[in-house]
Amino acid sequence: DDLRKSAPGVKIRTAPGAAYVDDLVLVGAATKMPCVQRTLARLCDVPLRKTVDPDAAVAFGAALKARANDAAAAAPDDF
């Protein structure tokens, strides 16, 4: 019930230049829960991509953000 109450705030954005969303990648530990997956798939009417490890995606995104925040230390081949 709590998920359904907070779900109306879910927003799906397309990538710049994209016309529509092909699939949905869920990241973070809570997205492993079947009830979360079912509810978001139903609300968003977009297939879920389950080939991405939710924990690895969070870690990778955090690493990219940290590196971008320290752009002076980043080498061109880091990205």
Side-chain angles (χ1 to χ4, degrees):
D1 289 331
D2 289 338
L3 176 62
R4 289 187 188 109
K5 289 177 187 173
S6 63
V10 172
K11 304 229 185 294
I12 297 179
R13 292 180 288 160
T14 61
Y20 58 92
V21 175
D22 293 321
D23 54 14
L24 193 60
V25 177
L26 302 179
V27 299
T31 62
K32 295 178 186 177
M33 298 171 57
C35 66
V36 171
Q37 295 174 2
R38 282 192 306 271
T39 302
L40 290 174
R42 188 172 53 248
L43 288 171
C44 301
D45 196 28
V46 178
L48 301 180
R49 180 182 290 186
K50 297 186 179 185
T51 58
V52 177
D53 177 3
D55 297 326
V58 170
F60 185 71
L64 287 176
K65 179 64 175 160
R67 193 57 149 168
N69 286 347
D70 193 15
D77 62 343
D78 281 349
F79 295 101

